[in-house]
Amino acid sequence: TSFFPSPTCSRSKSRFYFVALPALFKQELHNTEAEEGGTATLRCELTKPKAPVEWRKGDVTLYPGLKYEMKQQGCAAELVIYDLEVEDS
């Protein structure tokens, strides 16, 4: 976390702008092998705890349901894919 004074600081009032650092990958996703009909878990680790995560397959955003489960604890984020099909590659 960093604080930077604005160029309009005066003696009576000081303004500070908060600059939040972006969440980056501390540990990126790795290829996972699993059998058709089984379950696969993809995991990554971020530099910020509870940073918002959006799981995507290509241009399609994935949402929790019968097929996908999203888990997040601290800096770790997981995507569980159930009932694997060839199209899930």
Side-chain angles (χ1 to χ4, degrees):
T1 308
S2 301
F3 289 92
F4 297 99
S6 75
T8 58
C9 289
S10 66
R11 287 186 213 157
S12 61
K13 288 186 177 181
S14 294
R15 290 186 183 182
F16 292 93
Y17 292 96
F18 175 71
V19 178
L21 298 175
L24 303 172
F25 286 107
K26 192 172 182 180
Q27 179 186 11
E28 295 192 20
L29 292 174
H30 296 285
N31 289 336
T32 301
E33 291 187 25
E35 293 186 19
E36 190 173 358
T39 300
T41 300
L42 302 174
R43 184 177 190 276
C44 65
E45 190 173 345
L46 306 168
T47 56
K48 293 174 95 173
K50 298 183 182 178
V53 172
E54 181 180 84
W55 290 95
R56 302 176 67 102
K57 181 180 180 209
D59 293 334
V60 178
T61 301
L62 306 178
Y63 296 98
L66 296 175
K67 180 78 173 173
Y68 304 110
E69 180 181 2
M70 287 80 172
K71 301 176 183 180
Q72 193 166 356
Q73 184 174 17
C75 292
E78 289 184 346
L79 170 66
V80 182
I81 307 171
Y82 296 102
D83 195 24
L84 291 169
E85 302 171 278
V86 175
E87 295 81 25
D88 293 320
S89 295

